[in-house]
Amino acid sequence: MCCHSLGAPARALVLSLSPRCVRAGGCRPDTRPPLRRPMDAALLVALGLLAQSLGLSLGVPGQRRPSTLYPWHRAPAPGRVRRAWVIPPISVSENHKRLPYPLVQIKSDKQPLGSVIYSIQGPGVDEEPQGVFSIDKFTGKVFLNAMLDREKTDRFRLRAFALDLGGATLEEPTDLEIVVVDQNDNRPVFRQEAFSGRVLEGAVPGTYVTRAEATDADDPETDNAALRYSILEQDGPQLFSIDEHTGDIRTVQVGLDREVVAVYNLTLQVADMSGDGLTATASAIITLEDVNDNAPGFTRDEFFMEATEAVSGVDVGRLQVEDRDLPGSPNWAARFTILEGDPKGQFAIRTDPKTNEGVLSVVKPLDYESCEQYNLRVAVQNEAPLQAAAPRAERGQARVSVRVQDINEAPVFQENPLRTSLPEGVPPGTPVATFSAQDPDTQRLQRLSYSKDYDPDDWLRVDKATGQIQTQRVLSPASPFLKDGWYRAIILAYDDASPPSTATGTLSIEILEVNDHAPELSPPSGSVCSKPDQGSGLLLGATDADLPPHGAPFHFQLSPRVPELTRNWSVSRVNVSHARLRLRHQVREGLHRLSLLLRDSGQPPQQREQPLNVTVCRCGPDGACLPGAAARRAGGVGVSLGALVIVLASIILLLLLALPVALVTRSRRQSGDKGFLHGLQDDLRDNILNYDEQGGGEEDQDAYDINQLRHPTELAALCAPLGRPPLRRDAPFGRVRPQPPRMLPTSPADIADFINDGLEVADSDPSVPPYDTALIYDYEGDGSVAGTLSSILSSLGDEDQDYSCLRDWGPRFARLADLYGPP
């Protein structure tokens, strides 16, 4: 099959197959490059005549019935050589308006004219965009039915088919390519409406600023998209240029000064067809960046200000400066320096970031009496360094005169706070200190007065005229206003101006501890074994009412007045508060009276000579006195066992004789009170409640220890650790009373009192065993209405019981109040 290119209706055939194409079985595509411009009419006519001269055969005699109704099935042709069906590309210009426009005609040489049906398929026919191309099915002419746009589709690829009347395929389907030829129908477009660039002022020629870019939708292989850039207009002189091919904008001259022109606006143009075609415009905004090419300067040569004395942290005035550089930048920001006139550093200058002014302030109080006026020399410069070629400012320095205003200043204490010390217990009228102040206003005649502002214990007296301070009473060491041995008071000093000025001074007095107490021996008695190699000796302790360093370490020494004591006794130190007494030789059993000299470590030291009663007894292997040693100890003081029995029997007899007398007296009182207790006498009777034995017998380990009746203080000193003794569980911690030292009996008449006193001490001492009964009632806390059940505390509280409240209960209880109440 052969193809013929069709032109206008008046044109003849312009393409035909060469004999070589016929022998080869088809048409070969034109391998020459496609023409970019429409072929002229003369050339087309010449090509048509050439094709006619070749005598191309366009058909084959005979007709075959189609073997199938489907055009894509091949018809069998045994013994026949197939020829290729090739159609060269067809070029057509975009925006062609004479429609429909014939593009090409295809023919098959296998059937005579009129017996072949032609069809095409592909984009522009049965695919989007549909309806662009069509074909005459009997003649094979292909038509353009719509204007083409190369920017949307630059070529179309169609498939051409040739069928006989029965639908059988006569030729193999072939490709039909239609190339859209570009026209200059698109203007170039800048990528931005306005381009921005920045460059330092004073930049050298050739400095890159920014780039302008544009695009063109036409074919980039043609001059339709060949773009050229230019500057149509720029402010002022020609300071910038643009590269016509790349669009780069650069500086071309010197003289860029931000202080003269800060922003330049350029009008740019781009044109296609290498500058001769369609055009478009845009703008370029070029901003000059500031450099520090202008030095700051003061607006005046001298400034005058006033400042008040005795104040600091206040502003005095402002120093105005001017700078042509960019406001807010480091090239514009000013820094101020005081060059002279402020040797003590009493002034400072800071910069106001909004106005760039220098704010002069007083950082240290001024004194009118010392200096009435200050003359400062101040310099200004920028934060950023000045360009080397920039000229210096004419007013880079200025003078500032500050006049000081005099005011009434408050008095000033020479030493504040004032610290002093006094020994404890000083008598009233003792001088403490002279807390005086001075008036800074030396040019004014003013008088100062003094008074107390804070004296919590009312201990001090202040002289109003001189400020001398004395004690007006004795300060108690237990005063709650003593903090770690210091007493604090506040003194006021004020002048007689109107209004007066007041100063506050703090007086701190250290109360010195005085060594005014001698140490005391504890315990004042004890026992040791008769043999020096038995037992550990007698542990002696000492206490002192003074506070450190006037107490321990204590020094224990046998009295120098009795030198013979050192022959049989020795004292060795155990620690800072205890010593141990030992026998040097075996001595007789019994009571021995020694004398000890105790001395503390205070300055000056206090000492006291105290008696010590030591009982020498026979001890067992463990160092404890053996049973029955009490009788021997008593014999050592001249009391025999028989005498002791007689004394005890006499005491019992006296108690038996006193019992009837007490019963008769009570009976008389009851008969005399019948008027008061009328109606209740039948109910009055003695109720005897028998309680079982409350002790634990021999197995009771909590029963009384006889050693407590002998020497309780000695046992406490030997057993208890140093410090506060432990409390019993049945006693509150706040009810412990110190026990006085007990002396041993010196005669048979004192033995009973000694025993009774020992029992009372044992019952009343809550810090050591034994308990008063096998039935132990633990302490239940304070605040109970019923009080405690312990007989220990009950015995202690009987002496403080007040029965006078019974008189408020009526006449029946008034008698009880008279009997048990105070006389």
Side-chain angles (χ1 to χ4, degrees):
M1 183 171 63
C2 297
C3 55
H4 297 271
S5 177
L6 300 179
R11 294 179 181 178
L13 180 65
V14 296
L15 284 178
S16 63
L17 295 178
S18 64
R20 186 177 180 180
C21 294
V22 175
R23 290 192 301 268
C27 300
R28 292 184 178 181
D30 189 359
T31 58
R32 294 174 299 174
L35 296 176
R36 294 187 179 275
R37 295 185 178 181
M39 188 179 301
D40 56 10
L43 180 59
L44 292 176
V45 172
L47 291 175
L49 294 176
L50 177 62
Q52 290 180 3
S53 66
L54 294 176
L56 179 63
S57 176
L58 298 176
V60 178
Q63 184 176 358
R64 297 182 306 169
R65 294 181 60 86
S67 60
T68 178
L69 296 177
Y70 302 100
W72 53 85
H73 289 178
R74 296 180 180 179
R80 185 180 178 88
V81 179
R82 292 186 178 275
R83 293 173 294 177
W85 188 16
V86 179
I87 301 176
I90 301 170
S91 298
V92 58
S93 176
E94 67 173 335
N95 302 320
H96 192 81
K97 298 180 180 180
R98 296 174 59 186
L99 302 174
Y101 176 70
L103 296 178
V104 70
Q105 183 179 8
I106 59 177
K107 290 182 179 181
S108 176
D109 58 355
K110 295 182 179 181
Q111 294 290 346
L113 184 64
S115 60
V116 181
I117 298 176
Y118 300 95
S119 64
I120 56 176
Q121 296 177 357
V125 180
D126 56 353
E127 299 178 13
E128 292 295 335
Q130 297 182 5
V132 177
F133 303 101
S134 64
I135 188 171
D136 189 319
K137 64 180 180 179
F138 296 108
T139 63
K141 293 182 179 180
V142 180
F143 294 93
L144 173 67
N145 301 321
M147 288 193 302
L148 300 178
D149 186 358
R150 192 206 66 84
E151 285 70 42
K152 292 183 178 179
T153 307
D154 60 348
R155 65 184 59 234
F156 295 87
R157 296 182 182 274
L158 307 178
R159 298 278 286 175
F161 301 91
L163 307 175
D164 60 14
L165 296 179
T169 303
L170 297 179
E171 303 284 351
E172 289 290 336
T174 188
D175 293 333
L176 180 61
E177 183 176 8
I178 300 173
V179 178
V180 182
V181 179
D182 181 52
Q183 289 185 347
N184 190 18
D185 58 347
N186 292 278
R187 290 181 177 274
V189 178
F190 280 103
R191 294 186 181 273
Q192 300 172 217
E193 293 183 1
F195 297 89
S196 61
R198 306 183 73 86
V199 64
L200 291 176
E201 62 173 330
V204 298
T207 303
Y208 173 82
V209 179
T210 186
R211 169 177 288 186
E213 294 180 328
T215 59
D216 196 316
D218 292 324
D219 188 359
E221 300 295 331
T222 66
D223 285 344
N224 297 334
L227 305 181
R228 297 294 182 268
Y229 299 92
S230 62
I231 299 178
L232 294 181
E233 183 181 356
Q234 55 180 306
D235 299 338
Q238 303 297 319
L239 299 177
F240 302 94
S241 66
I242 187 170
D243 188 297
E244 64 174 354
H245 295 283
T246 63
D248 290 346
I249 301 176
R250 298 177 181 271
T251 61
V252 294
Q253 293 185 18
V254 297
L256 294 176
D257 189 354
R258 190 205 66 83
E259 288 73 35
V260 177
V261 179
V263 178
Y264 287 88
N265 291 307
L266 309 181
T267 301
L268 309 179
Q269 176 181 280
V270 61
D272 58 14
M273 299 296 292
S274 298
D276 297 329
L278 304 177
T279 63
T281 60
S283 62
I285 301 175
I286 301 176
T287 303
L288 300 187
E289 294 185 346
D290 184 55
V291 297
N292 192 13
D293 55 351
N294 293 277
F298 290 100
T299 59
R300 291 183 293 174
D301 293 331
E302 189 170 2
F303 297 87
F304 298 92
M305 303 176 185
E306 291 184 351
T308 304
E309 70 167 335
V311 294
S312 61
V314 296
D315 296 338
V316 177
R318 289 176 173 261
L319 307 175
Q320 291 79 24
V321 296
E322 55 185 8
D323 194 321
R324 298 180 60 196
D325 291 318
L326 180 64
S329 67
N331 303 324
W332 174 80
R335 283 185 177 179
F336 299 88
T337 306
I338 300 177
L339 300 179
E340 62 183 27
D342 185 24
K344 297 182 179 179
Q346 295 174 292
F347 297 92
I349 304 179
R350 70 180 187 277
T351 304
D352 188 333
K354 296 182 179 180
T355 64
N356 210 31
E357 296 175 331
V359 182
L360 181 65
S361 61
V362 178
V363 295
K364 294 181 181 180
L366 305 178
D367 187 8
Y368 174 83
E369 287 71 25
S370 300
C371 182
E372 299 181 6
Q373 183 170 338
Y374 292 86
N375 294 315
L376 310 178
R377 188 163 64 91
V378 182
V380 63
Q381 60 184 3
N382 292 127
E383 291 184 0
L386 189 66
Q387 293 291 327
R392 297 290 173 177
E394 298 180 358
R395 293 178 175 173
Q397 297 183 9
R399 301 194 65 83
V400 181
S401 298
V402 181
R403 188 171 63 86
V404 183
Q405 295 179 347
D406 186 25
I407 63 171
N408 182 29
E409 301 176 72
V412 178
F413 285 99
Q414 299 301 310
E415 183 179 359
N416 192 12
L418 178 62
R419 292 180 173 87
T420 185
S421 60
L422 287 177
E424 62 175 341
V426 294
T430 301
V432 177
T434 300
F435 205 2
S436 59
Q438 291 184 355
D439 192 347
D441 297 317
T442 57
Q443 299 183 9
R444 299 186 182 186
L445 298 179
Q446 297 181 149
R447 184 173 56 187
L448 300 183
S449 301
Y450 303 89
S451 64
K452 292 190 304 181
D453 182 63
Y454 178 74
D455 183 14
D457 217 359
D458 197 24
W459 179 39
L460 306 175
R461 181 173 62 248
V462 180
D463 189 285
K464 183 177 181 180
T466 63
Q468 294 182 353
I469 303 174
Q470 296 179 346
T471 61
Q472 60 182 0
R473 63 183 187 86
V474 178
L475 180 65
S476 173
S479 173
F481 302 104
L482 280 176
K483 304 298 182 182
D484 298 328
W486 287 85
Y487 184 84
R488 178 174 172 270
I490 296 179
I491 309 300
L492 299 180
Y494 48 92
D495 56 26
D496 57 354
S498 180
S501 296
T502 305
T504 301
T506 301
L507 176 63
S508 297
I509 305 173
E510 182 183 14
I511 307 302
L512 302 177
E513 179 72 18
V514 177
N515 190 18
D516 53 353
H517 295 85
E520 297 183 1
L521 184 64
S522 177
S525 60
S527 60
V528 296
C529 296
S530 59
K531 295 182 179 180
D533 56 348
Q534 290 184 344
S536 58
L538 177 60
L539 183 64
L540 303 176
T543 60
D544 198 322
D546 293 322
L547 297 177
H550 301 300
F554 301 111
H555 302 273
F556 298 83
Q557 180 184 1
L558 294 171
S559 176
R561 297 186 302 101
V562 189
E564 59 270 15
L565 294 176
T566 58
R567 292 198 299 266
N568 298 326
W569 305 90
S570 66
V571 177
S572 60
R573 181 175 178 178
V574 176
N575 52 35
V576 296
S577 59
H578 288 79
R580 192 176 302 277
L581 178 68
R582 293 180 180 273
L583 278 173
R584 293 181 181 273
H585 310 285
Q586 184 172 358
V587 298
R588 62 177 178 82
E589 298 180 6
L591 180 64
H592 295 261
R593 292 184 176 85
L594 308 181
S595 180
L596 287 182
L597 180 63
L598 271 69
R599 185 174 68 255
D600 58 24
S601 298
Q603 294 297 331
Q606 294 284 344
Q607 63 182 13
R608 177 184 299 178
E609 188 171 331
Q610 301 182 23
L612 174 63
N613 295 327
V614 181
T615 300
V616 179
C617 64
R618 187 173 57 184
C619 300
D622 56 351
C625 293
L626 296 176
R632 285 188 290 273
R633 288 198 298 269
V637 295
V639 181
S640 63
L641 182 59
L644 179 60
V645 173
I646 294 174
V647 171
L648 293 177
S650 301
I651 294 174
I652 294 173
L653 180 60
L654 292 175
L655 292 176
L656 293 176
L657 293 177
L659 182 59
V661 176
L663 293 176
V664 172
T665 304
R666 182 176 181 181
S667 175
R668 292 179 178 178
R669 291 181 179 178
Q670 290 179 355
S671 61
D673 295 338
K674 287 183 179 182
F676 296 102
L677 303 176
H678 181 70
L680 298 176
Q681 293 182 3
D682 296 337
D683 296 334
L684 295 176
R685 61 186 179 274
D686 292 332
N687 296 318
I688 300 176
L689 301 179
N690 296 323
Y691 294 90
D692 293 335
E693 180 183 3
Q694 298 185 10
E698 295 179 356
E699 299 299 326
D700 187 2
Q701 299 302 319
D702 294 331
Y704 287 124
D705 184 4
I706 194 64
N707 289 329
Q708 290 296 313
L709 302 180
R710 297 169 181 165
H711 306 290
T713 55
E714 177 183 354
L715 183 61
L718 292 173
C719 300
L722 295 178
R724 183 177 180 179
L727 299 179
R728 285 163 44 182
R729 294 182 302 164
D730 62 336
F733 292 96
R735 299 291 296 273
V736 180
R737 295 186 177 180
Q739 303 297 331
R742 300 177 57 231
M743 301 297 295
L744 294 177
T746 57
S747 63
D750 298 334
I751 293 178
D753 295 335
F754 176 80
I755 295 176
N756 293 332
D757 293 340
L759 290 174
E760 182 179 357
V761 169
D763 288 343
S764 302
D765 188 2
S767 61
V768 295
Y771 300 109
D772 57 347
T773 177
L775 299 179
I776 301 172
Y777 299 91
D778 287 341
Y779 175 65
E780 297 180 355
D782 294 328
S784 174
V785 178
T788 178
L789 299 176
S790 174
S791 62
I792 296 178
L793 297 181
S794 299
S795 63
L796 292 175
D798 288 341
E799 61 186 9
D800 298 329
Q801 182 66 42
D802 185 10
Y803 293 92
S804 60
C805 61
L806 297 177
R807 295 187 179 91
D808 300 333
W809 294 5
R812 297 184 178 182
F813 295 91
R815 183 59 178 169
L816 293 177
D818 295 336
L819 293 176
Y820 293 94

